[in-house]
Amino acid sequence: MRSDTELPGWFRGMLVGGAAIALFILETRQTLRAPRREDRAIHTGRNLVIAGLAGVVMNLVETPLLRRVARHVEANELGIAPHVTRHAALRVIVAVALLDYGLYIWHVLTHKLPWLWRFHLVHHIDLDLDTSTAIRFHFGEMLVSVPWRLAQARVVGSSPLAVSVWQTLLLISILFHHSNVRLPLGVERWLRLLVATPRLHGIHHRSEQSCLDSNWTSGLSVWDFLHGTHRWREDEQPLTGVPGYQEPRDVTLKRSLALPFRAMRCPSGDSVNL
Ligand SMILES: [Zn+2]
């Protein structure tokens, strides 16, 4: 059976939009990290503008190219998934899991390659970690990630259906694990063994380097376990953000958009060229 369809746009929008609204409301009622360092309306509005620009790049560049590659891959049975199983549903599951692993590797690269870190830094300097941080990615990061995404789809052997399932689950996952929702600790202690959770990903957003170098997964926790980068702490959530960018004036819309093209700051606040 060929799975040459995609999840309908309205269905994906309903799932992702529903998750975003639910998390946005929940995090005001069961707050994990408090007090906030910026006004919530200003913070959310700024992140929506940054996300909107990234969304334009995704819609104009990534989505059409990814769709084209996925159709070609499916028509010619290329990549890993078609060679693992002949069962259509299993192929989708295998492809989604491998796409998730590909994103884990990409996330590591965005931290380790200085020219990529310039772009990913825009996401990390957010002073308050919440649902809107999940979509705070510089449009440049989206643009430079396109070749990686296309290569992922080709190597994994991802059909258009698998791509659409992965994108939908990914969006829900990143909204969830960036959210400021306080889950019962007992629940999260177990859940983080399976998937990225708010406390677990909050550790990745701490300002200490050892924390930045952990919990890179955007979905399944198995990739961090596999690479020894899973880190769990149950103490109170301290400062998020990046040393050198800890003041509200460092994260304004204008500065955030210009950030990748400026000299970077070291923890002391001095500028450094990478
Ligand atoms: Zn990161």
Side-chain angles (χ1 to χ4, degrees), residues 46 92 194 204 266 268:
R46 183 199 304 134
V92 172
L194 291 176
H204 177 70
C266 57
S268 65

Side-chain angles (χ1 to χ4, degrees), residues 107 110-111 117 120 123-124 201 204-205 212 216:
H107 192 184
T110 61
H111 279 253
W117 174 241
H120 191 54
H123 173 67
H124 271 274
H201 198 70
H204 177 70
H205 275 264
L212 271 173
W216 272 303

Side-chain angles (χ1 to χ4, degrees), residues 199-267:
R199 281 185 180 89
L200 187 75
H201 198 70
I203 295 168
H204 177 70
H205 275 264
R206 287 190 186 193
S207 52
E208 306 141 61
Q209 188 62 43
S210 61
C211 293
L212 271 173
D213 288 340
S214 67
N215 302 340
W216 272 303
T217 187
S218 298
L220 299 171
S221 296
V222 64
W223 316 126
D224 276 306
F225 282 118
L226 214 61
H227 291 276
T229 52
H230 185 95
R231 175 183 275 246
W232 178 247
R233 282 161 65 165
E234 294 184 1
D235 50 350
E236 276 310 302
Q237 303 269 319
L239 279 187
T240 54
V242 177
Y245 301 90
Q246 289 290 341
E247 298 298 326
R249 66 171 180 273
D250 298 324
V251 300
T252 61
L253 179 62
K254 199 174 151 191
R255 291 203 173 190
S256 296
L257 292 175
L259 191 63
F261 314 107
R262 288 188 165 177
M264 292 174 69
R265 291 184 193 164
C266 57

